[in-house]
Amino acid sequence: MSTKRIADHQWQKLYAFLQGHPRAYAGQEEKCRRFVEAVHWILRTGAQWRELPDSYGKWNSVFKRYARWEENGVWADMFKQFAQDPDMAAVKPDSTAVRAHMCAAGGSKKGEVSTNSA
């Protein structure tokens, strides 16, 4: 299964941006691409981080890096950088779109019975 969903020409723009960003560690290009593709998979599917396919790497490592980039403003800067580029509309991540799972938002957890009566 291929993990690549971002076109090569779009990836080159993203990678150039990340290499020049002071708070983003781009590292090895292939590993960085796999990480960005993993985040896009989460955004596209709305799945829980634990459901990330193994082909993208360890879900917890991906999540920690995602959270670090969020904290450092990398995703917001990326969104601003590519906001006016129509070619990048499908790949500019909006970090606010990563949803929390129902149980993180106060919903009942698996097997838990609500004791609230309406």
Side-chain angles (χ1 to χ4, degrees):
M1 173 178 109
S2 174
T3 60
K4 294 182 179 162
R5 302 259 316 189
I6 298 173
D8 289 339
H9 71 282
Q10 293 169 322
W11 170 248
Q12 291 309 314
K13 289 181 182 182
L14 281 173
Y15 192 61
F17 165 79
L18 292 170
Q19 286 181 307
H21 196 283
R23 294 177 309 277
Y25 173 70
Q28 295 176 355
E29 184 175 1
E30 193 58 36
K31 288 182 179 182
C32 185
R33 183 172 186 164
R34 186 171 71 163
F35 162 70
V36 173
E37 296 274 5
V39 172
H40 278 86
W41 185 88
I42 292 289
L43 289 171
R44 265 192 331 274
T45 64
Q48 295 178 41
W49 286 100
R50 290 178 188 265
E51 296 172 349
L52 186 71
D54 292 338
S55 58
Y56 289 111
K58 295 178 181 177
W59 74 266
N60 197 36
S61 298
V62 173
F63 171 74
K64 286 179 181 179
R65 187 172 181 186
Y66 165 82
R68 195 168 43 250
W69 280 22
E70 173 63 24
E71 190 175 296
N72 291 331
V74 177
W75 298 115
D77 292 346
M78 187 185 300
F79 185 81
K80 287 181 217 167
Q81 173 73 23
F82 298 114
Q84 301 303 316
D85 187 345
D87 185 45
M88 299 298 282
V91 297
K92 61 181 183 241
D94 178 3
S95 61
T96 61
V98 176
R99 298 172 205 80
H101 188 261
M102 178 174 81
C103 62
S108 63
K109 295 180 178 134
K110 185 176 181 179
E112 198 174 273
V113 177
S114 176
T115 58
N116 297 339
S117 53

